[in-house]
Amino acid sequence: MKISIPINLSDLKEAKPVPNGRYGLTVASVEEGESQGGFPQLKASIAIDGHDDAPNLTHFISLPSPGDAKSQAKAIFLARFLNAFNIPVEDDGLAFDTDDFPGATADNLELSLSKPDDNGNVYNRIMLPKLPDEEGARTAPRPPQAVKA
């Protein structure tokens, strides 16, 4: 059976990550799940604003949980993500709603390129800024690491 489609498959090219730099980002979706170690995590798909030819980033957010020795570090990275994307946290600081993720935006966040994986693929990674200090000013994010081609 012959099937006709409205797109020329011969003209297609794979999406490529954007160069190191600062970009606006929008959360496309979020899924709840477990890490390989069995701890709770979120998996966010994040679009790079104005770069429809770039693939969405996949960003994993490990959630603090009882009995996890890394809960404090996970809480800081979670707080950095929520702050960067202006996702509200309840007044007691103990809860947030994943329904607030899709459509959440962050302006001017640093993206870097990963090292090539075993298949030679390179991906964009988010460099989340540190939490605001006591006076409300942000500290500078760490500079991107050089990527060897």
Side-chain angles (χ1 to χ4, degrees):
M1 165 176 30
K2 182 176 179 179
I3 297 176
S4 293
I5 60 172
I7 297 173
N8 184 341
L9 297 176
S10 302
D11 293 339
L12 294 178
K13 294 185 180 174
E14 290 288 336
K16 294 186 179 179
V18 296
N20 290 349
R22 294 188 165 279
Y23 298 88
L25 304 175
T26 301
V27 177
S29 64
V30 66
E31 298 174 17
E32 296 178 47
E34 287 188 353
S35 68
Q36 291 178 346
F39 292 106
Q41 72 176 4
L42 301 174
K43 178 181 174 183
S45 176
I46 302 171
I48 303 169
D49 299 343
H51 294 272
D52 296 338
D53 55 340
N56 280 9
L57 291 89
T58 299
H59 185 77
F60 292 94
I61 305 161
S62 297
L63 301 176
S65 59
D68 184 354
K70 297 180 182 177
S71 280
Q72 186 69 27
K74 290 177 179 182
I76 289 172
F77 286 114
L78 170 62
R80 286 178 180 175
F81 184 90
L82 297 173
N83 186 61
F85 284 88
N86 299 303
I87 296 171
V89 177
E90 289 186 7
D91 290 338
D92 63 5
L94 297 175
F96 59 93
D97 191 336
T98 57
D99 289 343
D100 293 328
F101 280 59
T105 61
D107 294 324
N108 202 30
L109 278 189
E110 186 79 31
L111 294 183
S112 66
L113 292 167
S114 68
K115 293 180 181 177
D117 64 14
D118 292 341
N119 296 319
N121 297 316
V122 176
Y123 304 95
N124 284 121
R125 301 176 79 182
I126 300 173
M127 308 300 290
L128 290 170
K130 290 186 178 182
L131 295 172
D133 65 15
E134 305 84 42
E135 299 170 10
R138 289 191 174 272
T139 57
R142 70 182 172 134
Q145 297 176 345
V147 177
K148 295 179 182 175

